[in-house]
């Protein structure tokens, strides 16, 4: 397994301590412990998020792009974001409808990629998809680190939500020729 694939795998492994620490931060009544746990959860989440940038850069720069990497890199991203959204929803920090739209889009695009891949077509991540991921990571980092209100958390998720919908539509449009076969 090459370095980019190891970084993507690490990102998936970091989901476990992130979920445990974030859940502890949101379930404790001790303010000092909650702050400490939020900071720790944020460090884990940001560390995992940064691996997304570096695994792609390293893979392209050193020609280490593999079929395994094409599978686990986007999967790791989706699992990290969905895990964070799920924990935040469980503790009533983000609206369920926002999370459901994001999860629906991620599952739909994963399914579309599988269908077009079976046809021999690869749909690469486009600019909107990259911006979607970046804005999700930034918004989630702020929500994880700062105990903002439910309303403010939802407002922070508006731009990522819009980019989620637009990038999903972009993927569907790029896939329509393969889907119509």
């Amino acid at each position: 397994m090459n370095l980019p694939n190891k970084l993507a795998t690490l990102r998936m492994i970091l989901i476990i301590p992130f979920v445990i620490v974030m859940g502890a931060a949101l379930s404790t009544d001790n303010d000092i412990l909650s702050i400490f746990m939020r900071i720790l959860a944020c460090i884990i989440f940001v560390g995992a998020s940064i691996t997304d940038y570096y695994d792609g850069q390293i893979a392209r720069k050193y020609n280490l792009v593999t079929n395994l990497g094409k599978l686990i890199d986007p999967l790791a991203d989706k699992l990290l974001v969905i895990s964070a959204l799920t924990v935040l929803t469980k503790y009533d920090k983000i609206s369920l409808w926002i999370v459901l739209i994001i999860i629906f889009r991620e599952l739909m695009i994963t399914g579309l990629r599988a269908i077009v891949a079976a046809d021999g077509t690869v749909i690469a991540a486009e600019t909107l998809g990259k911006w979607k991921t970046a804005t999700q990571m930034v918004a989630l980092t702020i929500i994880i680190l700062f105990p903002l209100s439910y309303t403010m958390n939802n407002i922070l998720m508006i731009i990522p939500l819009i980019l989620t919908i637009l990038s999903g539509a972009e993927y569907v449009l790029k896939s329509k020729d393969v889907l119509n076969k």
Side-chain angles (χ1 to χ4, degrees):
M1 186 181 297
N2 65 30
L3 180 58
N5 293 347
K6 287 178 182 175
L7 289 172
T9 302
L10 174 63
R11 188 160 59 257
M12 288 190 279
I13 292 168
L14 287 173
I15 292 168
I16 297 166
F18 165 74
V19 167
I20 292 168
V21 173
M22 191 66 210
L26 295 173
S27 63
T28 184
D29 292 330
N30 183 322
D31 289 341
I32 293 173
L33 182 59
S34 178
I35 291 167
F36 172 76
M37 297 297 260
R38 279 179 175 272
I39 292 168
L40 183 56
C42 189
I43 290 167
I44 296 167
F45 184 81
V46 169
S49 299
I50 288 171
T51 67
D52 180 37
Y53 173 78
Y54 285 109
D55 67 6
Q57 292 293 320
I58 293 167
R60 286 184 292 278
K61 183 175 181 178
Y62 296 104
N63 196 27
L64 296 172
V65 176
T66 64
N67 287 334
L68 178 62
K70 289 177 187 176
L71 171 70
I72 65 172
D73 179 54
L75 179 63
D77 299 342
K78 289 168 182 28
L79 290 173
L80 179 62
V81 168
I82 289 171
S83 297
L85 291 170
T86 301
V87 172
L88 291 167
T89 302
K90 178 187 182 334
Y91 291 97
D92 206 25
K93 301 299 178 188
I94 295 179
S95 292
L96 179 60
W97 67 270
I98 291 173
V99 174
L100 290 176
I101 290 171
I102 292 171
I103 291 173
F104 174 78
R105 182 263 187 215
E106 300 302 349
L107 293 175
M108 180 183 70
I109 298 311
T110 299
L112 276 175
R113 281 186 166 155
I115 291 168
V116 301
D119 190 58
T121 306
V122 175
I123 300 178
E126 296 291 335
T127 303
L128 273 178
K130 291 179 180 184
W131 276 101
K132 179 243 352 154
T133 301
T135 59
Q136 284 176 344
M137 299 296 190
V138 169
L140 288 170
T141 298
I142 293 168
I143 293 167
I144 290 164
L145 191 55
F146 300 106
L148 303 172
S149 70
Y150 177 81
T151 302
M152 278 303 303
N153 290 343
N154 288 321
I155 289 169
L156 280 170
M157 290 303 298
I158 295 296
I159 291 174
L161 181 64
I162 291 168
L163 291 173
T164 295
I165 294 166
L166 292 176
S167 65
E170 181 180 44
Y171 276 105
V172 170
L173 291 173
K174 287 184 179 257
S175 303
K176 71 178 183 174
D177 291 339
V178 174
L179 294 174
N180 289 329
K181 287 185 179 180

